[in-house]
Amino acid sequence: MEQVELLQEGVYDDPQINVYINKQKDFAFLYPRPVVDYKEYLPRVKKLNLQKYKKQRSVYMERYLKIRSFINNISNLLEIGAGDGSFLRIINENHPAVALSSVETDISTLSQREQIENLKNYESLEDICKYDNKYDAICLFHVLEHIIDPSAYLSKIGQSLIKNDSLVIVEVPSLFDPLLSVYGCETYKKFYFQSQHPYIYSNTSIVRLMERNGFVTKEVINYQRYGIENHLNWLTNNSPRGSELFRNIFNKTNKSYITELEDSGKTDTVIWIGKLN
């Protein structure tokens, strides 16, 4: 059994749950294991009223551009945890011939997803697995870190939804987030760990997880979603939602700042791309 040590007592929304980190310091987990009812789940972006700030940033298009070359020649795609369908909408606009499906437990966003032409909506993984559907590409964006038993979850996907050459694309928050790994921002650290994320991966531990569960890695992409204005706001004001002042001053600097973080592997997000072995 891998050695672990206590990283932090308590998490953002539960003082009784602690954070532990492995000896390699590339994987963390919560204990005792949190119990989250995802039918009642409210994303923190909504809890803290950060929707407006999120919409100012083009995260869905940036994500698409990161993985576009991998999905150029597919005929169908499934997104698990599709939310309001923002990513699928981009796929539909840029690849209209691709048949799209979604799995999403949040029925409050169903009306937005139903606006996407010919999108097939399923409420749960169990629901979609009832059908003999196989997909060229399966995407899980900020889903796997919520799963208490990722091995069983990945096994279900592998057995029910994947062809021999299907592409699997997994995006998760990274433990190598620069506010943690570079700046050591204590306020952000207390904010970062939350009960909805029982596991926190990195660009190395996500590879181990996927390969231990029978997948082969094609590429790992270090992806920095938040820019310099967000980091400066955390470091000076100890709060999320960025700063218009910093955004305006450092607009030209931001692109190179993000590129350098991605080149160094110190990013808030990592995208794993691979297939079943």
Side-chain angles (χ1 to χ4, degrees), residues 131-164:
Y131 305 91
D132 189 25
N133 297 334
K134 305 290 183 181
Y135 297 93
D136 293 334
I138 297 177
C139 301
L140 299 92
F141 301 122
H142 295 264
V143 170
L144 203 57
E145 70 273 16
H146 294 270
I147 305 302
I148 289 289
D149 189 346
S151 293
Y153 195 80
L154 290 169
S155 176
K156 186 176 291 186
I157 290 171
Q159 292 173 10
S160 303
L161 303 172
I162 290 178
K163 306 174 186 177
N164 289 335

Side-chain angles (χ1 to χ4, degrees), residues 67-102:
I67 67 171
R68 176 175 54 185
S69 62
F70 292 94
I71 60 174
N72 274 334
N73 298 309
I74 63 172
S75 60
N76 59 15
L77 179 145
L78 166 67
E79 182 180 3
I80 300 174
D84 63 7
S86 293
F87 176 76
L88 291 173
R89 198 167 284 108
I90 291 174
I91 297 297
N92 190 46
E93 290 168 356
N94 290 274
H95 306 268
V98 175
L100 300 176
S101 299
S102 77

Side-chain angles (χ1 to χ4, degrees), residues 135-274:
Y135 297 93
D136 293 334
I138 297 177
C139 301
L140 299 92
F141 301 122
H142 295 264
V143 170
L144 203 57
E145 70 273 16
H146 294 270
I147 305 302
I148 289 289
D149 189 346
S151 293
Y153 195 80
L154 290 169
S155 176
K156 186 176 291 186
I157 290 171
Q159 292 173 10
S160 303
L161 303 172
I162 290 178
K163 306 174 186 177
N164 289 335
D165 57 347
S166 295
L167 201 65
V168 178
I169 303 172
V170 177
E171 179 181 312
V172 291
S174 176
L175 188 59
F176 294 160
D177 187 312
L179 282 169
L180 300 174
S181 65
V182 178
Y183 301 117
C185 179
E186 286 298 320
T187 307
Y188 181 73
K189 183 180 175 185
K190 292 174 183 176
F191 173 85
Y192 181 81
F193 297 103
Q194 55 175 309
S195 61
Q196 288 89 359
H197 295 176
Y199 302 110
I200 306 94
Y201 304 100
S202 67
N203 56 14
T204 49
S205 59
I206 190 64
V207 171
R208 291 200 302 275
L209 172 74
M210 299 305 294
E211 293 185 352
R212 285 173 182 173
N213 284 281
F215 292 84
V216 177
T217 302
K218 291 177 69 71
E219 187 161 338
V220 176
I221 300 172
N222 297 311
Y223 172 25
Q224 181 60 35
R225 299 202 302 163
Y226 289 89
I228 193 170
E229 50 98 9
N230 175 273
H231 290 175
L232 288 174
N233 198 55
W234 270 108
L235 295 171
T236 58
N237 298 318
N238 293 311
S239 70
R241 80 180 73 240
S243 161
E244 186 175 355
L245 173 64
F246 293 146
R247 193 177 307 127
N248 292 334
I249 292 174
F250 297 105
N251 182 50
K252 293 179 181 177
T253 307
N254 190 58
K255 186 175 181 180
S256 59
Y257 176 74
I258 287 176
T259 298
E260 289 175 348
L261 287 173
E262 291 180 344
D263 288 346
S264 71
K266 303 293 187 181
T267 58
D268 56 31
T269 308
V270 58
I271 301 174
W272 178 94
I273 300 172

